């Protein structure tokens, strides 16, 4: 058979067209499969994958005390809701209301009122319902009931150590819906919160999740646990004693700090008034300032406690010697301002120990003048005044005092500062500064987290020396003087069986325009045993009415607390240590 | 009457010839091939369905286990809180008072003859992580 030329040409055209079409197809396939492969794959992933759950929340880390007692934990609670549009009729609504009422502790009528509008897709009936109740509601097997789980922070010891712990509050701005505030909850929020996980799965064209698809699950990384330096038994002792002291002396507020001078670890720290972090919302409605920790966030004038710093600075710089005698005329003028003793008396020739024991303002000012402003303020700064201690708690403030660099400073400030007036400091700053004397001259950074537990790994906090403030010899000399102060002068601070080194302080309360005529802040700081201090205790009582003096108000509280802590913390009395080590205990015999 | 000669292609495409050729091949070799293809496709299909079923089952079991784990963890957290509440010092003190206990105000230290305090102190210090 012969093929006509026209047929042949037609076949050729068809072949060419078909080849061209195939080439286009092949080209397009090469483009999709090779050139744009990665981009198209990514687009397909994006289109077909969907987050099954927006996030899988991480469990917030727990908080334990030094002995392993739980101070802050988590509880799963449920928000219970109903979809009224799924309820058929009034009878159905009535039946559901009667079933739920006893479980939710509500009247059936109340529930009925909430679910009466059949046009609503969803209404909440109750929030933060306990797990057991949620299980009972699940057993009803009603499709229209919804249960949304949420983590709730719980503090099983109630108000104990609330200022140290802080709390967790609902935070709409945060994607998890909550944030830590104040205390360790605020300071260590990023450690405690962990990282949420994500669940991803493929969906079909209708948006439904394909159960056999390639699902991706990134588990949440739970928050790390904190082990505090706080011992809850010691914490309870100071809270109870502080509360009873406020009642006894009709005082407004108070703070107690207990430190380990060698390490800077905070054994206990409490302020009154306090609050229950489980009920932070109710507390905030009554007094939003209640959450501020007075131990680290509020300043006061420490008063005569600062004389310890003045004397230590003068001894360390060689301005005075321990046996230096000073003549007390009862008054002195510094920078044009007269300074008098608290008792308005003149005591004649006195030694340095007596200056501290009788808490003489005149001699303190005299020593500071001899020391000179530059050296005095250098030592004050070295002891940590005017800067934060670096404690790992939320909201610490630095305190302040005027120096010769300030335009409104005058020499009279030097005189007043020497006995603790016009110096603003937090109770923790004062405790930390005097710890430097107790431990032999090292300023330690106070800390409240003993260790961070990441699973089975424990990351302990190493005690951190900030700087040496005075020589060990100076520190020992001052300690011996403070020991004599408690032995001969501030006797209410004594602890039977133990030698104590300490000093009281009484300061006026600063009010706009000057000082309050009668209100005072009474304080006492002491440590024991003086030769090898295990604990330092600072007691601050604000505006006591029964007596204005630190030696009469704060010293007995110190004594009561110390008597209990030596038992709880296993600090043997001096005679036991003497017997056990078969060597004399105390400075005088060394 | 003119004779109509068929082109070889036309001869090949005659329905009778196609059927004959198809039947011939089906009988000889293609039948086996088709059966083999059907068998392989069935096998692959069976394997796919088995695997899909296994994956779905495992996914379901994983989800159930995950839910169970979550429930157990929630229960565990609740129990921890309950234990801590029962062990709170307020409750312990109240219960101790009911049982006639009084707060310890002093500690009695006993001396043990021959006991080395120095060694004990070093051991205690290391236990408390005070030594490097």
């Amino acid at each position: 058979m012969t093929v006509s030329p026209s047929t042949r040409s037609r076949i050729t055209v068809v072949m060419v067209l078909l080849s061209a079409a195939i080439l286009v197809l092949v080209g397009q396939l090469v483009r999709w499969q090779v050139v744009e492969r990665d981009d198209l794959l990514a687009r397909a992933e994006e289109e077909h994958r969907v987050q099954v759950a927006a996030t899988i929340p991480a469990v917030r880390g727990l908080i334990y005390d030094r002995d392993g007692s739980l101070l802050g934990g988590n509880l799963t609670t449920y928000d219970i809701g109903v979809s009224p549009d799924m309820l058929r009729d009034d009878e159905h609504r009535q039946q559901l209301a009667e079933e739920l009422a006893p479980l939710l502790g509500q009247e059936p009528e109340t529930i009925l009122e909430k679910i009466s509008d059949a046009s609503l897709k969803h209404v909440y009936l109750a929030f933060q319902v306990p797990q057991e109740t949620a299980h009972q509601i699940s057993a009803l097997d009603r499709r229209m009931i919804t249960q949304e789980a949420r983590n709730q922070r719980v503090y099983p010891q109630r108000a104990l150590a609330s200022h140290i712990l802080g709390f967790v509050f609902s935070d709409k701005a945060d994607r998890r819906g909550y944030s830590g505030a104040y205390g360790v909850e605020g300071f260590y929020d990023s450690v405690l919160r962990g990282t949420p996980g994500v669940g991803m799965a493929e969906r079909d064209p209708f948006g439904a999740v394909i159960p056999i698809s390639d699902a991706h699950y990134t588990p949440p990384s739970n928050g790390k646990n904190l082990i505090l330096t706080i011992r809850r038994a010691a914490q309870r002792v100071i809270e109870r004693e502080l509360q009873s002291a406020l009642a006894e002396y009709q005082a407004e507020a108070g703070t107690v700090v207990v430190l380990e001078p060698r390490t800077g670890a905070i054994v206990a720290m409490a302020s009154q008034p306090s609050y229950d972090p489980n009920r932070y919302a109710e507390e905030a409605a009554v007094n939003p300032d209640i959450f501020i920790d007075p131990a680290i966030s509020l300043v006061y004038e420490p008063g005569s406690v600062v004389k310890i710093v003045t004397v230590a600075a003068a001894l360390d710089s060689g301005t005075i010697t321990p046996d230096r005698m000073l003549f007390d005329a009862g008054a002195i003028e510094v920078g044009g301002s007269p300074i008098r003793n608290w008792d308005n008396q003149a005591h004649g020739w006195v030694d340095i120990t007596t200056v501290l024991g009788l808490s003489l303002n005149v001699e303190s000012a005299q020593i500071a003048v001899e020391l000179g402003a530059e050296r005095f303020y250098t030592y004050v700064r070295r002891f940590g005044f005017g800067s934060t201690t670096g404690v790992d708690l939320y909201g610490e403030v630095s305190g302040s005092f005027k120096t010769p660099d300030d335009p409104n400073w005058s020499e009279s400030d030097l005189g007043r500062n020497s006995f603790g007036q016009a110096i603003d400091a937090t109770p923790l700053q004062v405790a930390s500064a005097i710890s430097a004397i107790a431990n032999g001259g090292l300023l330690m950074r106070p800390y409240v987290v003993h260790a961070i537990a990441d699973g089975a790994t424990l990351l302990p906090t190493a005690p951190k020396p900030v700087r040496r403030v005075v020589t060990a010899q100076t520190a020992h000399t001052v300690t011996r003087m403070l020991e004599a102060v408690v032995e001969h002068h501030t006797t209410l601070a004594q602890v039977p069986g133990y030698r104590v080194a300490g000093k009281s302080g009484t300061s006026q309360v600063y009010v706009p325009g000057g000082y309050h005529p009668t209100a005072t802040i009474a304080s006492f700081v002491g440590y024991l045993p003086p030769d090898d201090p295990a604990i330092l205790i600072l007691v601050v009582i604000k505006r006591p009415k029964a007596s204005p003096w630190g030696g009469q108000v704060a010293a007995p509280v110190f004594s009561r607390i110390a008597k209990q802590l030596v038992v709880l913390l296993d600090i043997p009395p001096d005679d036991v240590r003497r017997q056990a080590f078969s060597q004399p205990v105390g400075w005088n015999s060394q | 009457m003119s004779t109509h000669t068929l082109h070889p292609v036309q001869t090949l495409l005659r329905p009778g010839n196609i059927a004959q050729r198809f039947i011939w091949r089906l009988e000889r070799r293609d039948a086996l091939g088709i059966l083999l293809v059907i068998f392989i496709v069935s096998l692959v299909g069976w394997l796919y369905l088995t695997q899909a079923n296994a994956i779905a089952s495992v996914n379901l079991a994983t989800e159930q286990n995950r839910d169970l784990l979550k429930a157990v963890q929630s229960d565990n957290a609740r129990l921890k809180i309950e234990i801590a509440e029962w062990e709170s010092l307020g409750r312990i003190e109240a219960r101790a008072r009911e049982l006639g206990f009084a707060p310890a105000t002093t500690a009695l230290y006993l001396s043990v003859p021959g006991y080395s305090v120095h060694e004990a102190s070093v051991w205690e210090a290391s236990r408390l992580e005070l030594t490097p």
Side-chain angles (χ1 to χ4, degrees), chain A residues 1 76 211 232 236 240 570, chain B residues 7 56 59 74 87 93 109:
Chain A
M1 181 191 156
T76 306
R232 68 169 184 158
R236 182 161 170 83
R240 190 174 49 204
D570 196 17
Chain B
H7 185 271
N59 277 355
S74 292
E87 285 181 344
E93 275 181 15
Y109 290 87

Side-chain angles (χ1 to χ4, degrees), chain A residues 36-47:
Chain A
E36 294 180 1
R37 182 175 182 276
D38 292 342
D39 183 43
L40 290 171
L41 267 177
R43 279 171 59 187
E45 287 265 311
E46 194 181 330
E47 197 173 319

